Amino acid sequence: MGDSNSNSPPGSPKENPDQDADKKPIAKDDSTLETIVRRIQDSISIGKKHKFWESQPVGQFKDIGDASLAEGPIEPPTLLSEVKQEPYNLPSQYEWTTCDIDLEETCTEVYNLLTNNYVEDDENMFRFNYSKEFLRWALRPPGYYRSWHIGVRAKGSKKLVAFITGVPARIRVRDEVVKMAEVNFLCVHKKLRSKRLAPVLIKEVTRRVHLENIWQAAYTAGVVLPTPITTCQYWHRSLNPKKLIDVGFSRLGARMTMSRTIKLYKLPDSPATPGFRKMELRDVPAVTRLLRDYLSQFIVAPDFDENDVEHWLLPAENVVDSFLVESQENHEITDFCSFYTLPSSILGNQNYSTLKAAYSFYNIATKTPLLQLMNDALIVAKQKDFDVFNALDVMQNQSFLKELKFGPGDGQLHYYLYNYRIRNGIAPSELGLVLL
């Protein structure tokens, strides 16, 4: 239900957005047969036979374009009594462990495993550095199962060497709300990559999800597996261009000086929208209504209730930031924006060790233009000392990226559903789901 490269981290932006501002963007329709065929050929030519995934209930490349296949579950649920009761076998020197993320010691072990072994960019310059506060937030939503936080230890040293997680979610696909697991943080210690532990971890999290009578899952990967429901692209907005250039995250554009670049990305000191303020606990019902109404337009989106909104969107220091616009006349909440904090370690740089990145989460504009709302989000992110603001081209994000000087990165993120078929795939703009 995931891949050891489970989220592509932000690669360097390909160019300065100002250089290509006058070129018309090429319409990128990822669902065209040509693109899909090319992607399959790329995938096969790398010599990657997806032996494991071909045995799983996921959309298969050979089925693309087959109109006779129904949308919905690929395999029906089995009887709970038929779900395998014992964990899958591991190589003899390893053992399963359930990671209690509430325990400081365990949380630190998980943090250290991920910080040293999780996703890196292609050039091995940056590696995700999820904080312990972030991990606790990501892994303990309403109704979470501790048994879905799965580790592997070396029997001798008791050292944590692999990890995978699931959290429960309700995800709507067209008109159907489906209970799913969101699977994430698949990580195997660098020294054990050849041991084929990842498929065993995936099978084990699947087994534990099935034990709770849940038969579907959602996950993302930076690599192409059978078969993405959509492929999104990362875009990056420089907030601290000098640091980003110094650490090699971005390059100085042709004919650009550092001082011109700094000027290009300069933002106002404070948000422009009247009534723009931080979200508070009392706003949860209003934000929930706004969000539910907004997400109803997308083909795949979470089905959030007030408990979910309180957990995922109420501001938490160094984890998630949420702002809204409250009308000064009638105190109605009309607009909302949010981003989460996911730093990356900078590998091998003398001057800097951490890149502070904000990731666009859920944004809703009903009265304020989305462009203005997101510019205010950039301003508050800059105030909070973020170096870069990242966004995927999901939902309506495409409408502000170029205008607000985001540049396309080289990172792509593929979205997948396990045991659920969406016949023709969807465009990123039809996706209303952001996975961490």
Side-chain angles (χ1 to χ4, degrees):
M1 291 193 196
D3 196 272
S4 49
N5 194 8
S6 101
N7 278 317
S8 174
S12 317
K14 288 186 180 147
E15 68 262 302
N16 255 22
D18 60 305
Q19 287 170 245
D20 283 340
D22 49 356
K23 289 187 194 165
K24 281 279 171 282
I26 298 161
K28 183 171 129 235
D29 180 5
D30 261 319
S31 58
T32 61
L33 198 57
E34 192 185 335
T35 319
I36 290 165
V37 168
R38 196 188 64 235
R39 215 185 286 144
I40 296 165
Q41 286 166 341
D42 287 352
S43 176
I44 291 166
S45 68
I46 299 165
K48 276 193 179 162
K49 274 275 174 266
H50 298 291
K51 213 162 76 191
F52 172 71
W53 289 106
E54 281 166 11
S55 70
Q56 300 296 304
V58 294
Q60 299 297 338
F61 291 138
K62 62 178 172 48
D63 298 334
I64 290 170
D66 184 343
S68 68
L69 296 168
E71 286 210 341
I74 295 169
E75 288 180 352
T78 54
L79 292 169
L80 280 182
S81 57
E82 287 172 18
V83 176
K84 186 170 152 56
Q85 297 298 305
E86 307 76 42
Y88 281 88
N89 289 334
L90 283 166
S92 60
Q93 63 272 47
Y94 301 105
E95 62 189 12
W96 295 109
T97 181
T98 296
C99 296
D100 183 348
I101 217 80
D102 288 337
L103 293 175
E104 182 60 27
E105 192 187 347
T106 308
C107 194
T108 302
E109 284 185 288
V110 169
Y111 168 77
N112 288 332
L113 177 71
L114 293 173
T115 300
N116 295 314
N117 300 279
Y118 202 42
V119 183
E120 293 178 17
D121 67 305
D122 294 339
E123 279 90 44
N124 309 108
M125 293 165 69
F126 307 100
R127 190 188 303 126
F128 278 153
N129 185 353
Y130 289 91
S131 69
K132 289 195 274 189
E133 298 80 30
F134 189 103
L135 292 169
R136 290 196 183 103
W137 172 68
L139 296 178
R140 299 184 310 175
Y144 77 94
Y145 300 97
R146 192 170 287 159
S147 59
W148 292 7
H149 304 160
I150 304 168
V152 173
R153 293 188 185 279
K155 278 183 185 164
S157 64
K158 295 291 183 243
K159 186 178 158 69
L160 188 68
V161 296
F163 188 59
I164 192 168
T165 67
V167 295
R170 293 179 315 284
I171 294 176
R172 181 182 51 74
V173 184
R174 300 197 208 276
D175 300 325
E176 204 67 43
V177 175
V178 185
K179 275 180 151 178
M180 294 199 193
E182 291 177 356
V183 174
N184 203 349
F185 300 114
L186 169 50
C187 179
V188 175
H189 194 286
K190 285 181 172 179
K191 290 185 175 160
L192 304 180
R193 295 277 161 93
S194 59
K195 298 256 192 272
R196 299 291 294 155
L197 281 177
V200 191
L201 283 159
I202 294 164
K203 289 200 296 206
E204 180 59 19
V205 77
T206 305
R207 184 187 75 82
R208 295 190 193 193
V209 167
H210 287 166
L211 286 172
E212 303 299 340
N213 202 16
I214 294 175
W215 304 91
Q216 274 73 35
Y219 52 100
T220 57
V223 292
V224 179
L225 307 167
T227 301
I229 59 163
T230 192
T231 292
C232 307
Q233 180 163 27
Y234 273 115
W235 289 68
H236 311 289
R237 172 46 159 98
S238 295
L239 300 176
N240 185 350
K242 184 180 182 317
K243 177 175 171 182
L244 294 179
I245 290 165
D246 286 350
V247 303
F249 181 87
S250 33
R251 292 186 289 279
L252 204 52
R255 302 181 304 285
M256 285 294 278
T257 61
M258 186 65 84
S259 60
R260 275 182 64 195
T261 304
I262 290 167
K263 198 172 156 197
L264 173 74
Y265 291 115
K266 192 164 167 42
L267 288 159
D269 292 332
S270 53
T273 310
F276 186 90
R277 64 168 175 82
K278 190 172 163 173
M279 178 188 176
E280 298 171 21
L281 183 59
R282 65 189 165 99
D283 301 314
V284 166
V287 169
T288 305
R289 284 194 298 275
L290 206 57
L291 191 60
R292 287 184 66 85
D293 190 47
Y294 177 70
L295 292 177
S296 67
Q297 67 185 294
F298 302 106
I299 293 177
V300 175
D303 179 59
F304 281 145
D305 63 20
E306 289 186 11
N307 290 333
D308 300 313
V309 167
E310 181 177 330
H311 177 81
W312 291 120
L313 294 170
L314 197 61
E317 194 60 36
N318 291 322
V319 173
V320 62
D321 283 279
S322 298
F323 295 87
L324 47 77
V325 179
E326 179 178 356
S327 149
Q328 278 148 317
E329 288 80 63
N330 59 9
H331 298 290
E332 189 192 350
I333 308 299
T334 56
D335 311 276
F336 176 84
C337 60
S338 58
F339 51 88
Y340 59 86
T341 302
L342 173 45
S344 282
S345 304
I346 302 169
L347 311 176
N349 186 285
Q350 268 79 56
N351 304 321
Y352 299 102
S353 60
T354 305
L355 189 74
K356 191 174 176 189
Y359 282 73
S360 175
F361 204 19
Y362 291 95
N363 310 300
I364 309 147
T366 68
K367 294 284 188 288
T368 309
L370 183 58
L371 202 69
Q372 180 180 321
L373 184 72
M374 292 312 295
N375 201 52
D376 284 344
L378 293 175
I379 291 165
V380 292
K382 174 70 181 158
Q383 285 175 338
K384 288 172 166 283
D385 286 327
F386 284 91
D387 298 313
V388 64
F389 195 104
N390 298 321
L392 289 165
D393 53 359
V394 297
M395 295 179 264
Q396 293 166 339
N397 292 359
Q398 196 69 53
S399 68
F400 63 75
L401 294 170
K402 284 216 161 79
E403 192 83 20
L404 293 181
K405 301 176 187 162
F406 282 75
D410 44 24
Q412 284 195 319
L413 193 61
H414 309 281
Y415 274 75
Y416 300 92
L417 294 180
Y418 182 90
N419 196 19
Y420 203 93
R421 183 183 287 111
I422 296 187
R423 242 209 326 257
N424 295 322
I426 59 175
S429 59
E430 296 173 307
L431 179 70
L433 176 67
V434 178
L435 296 180
L436 306 173

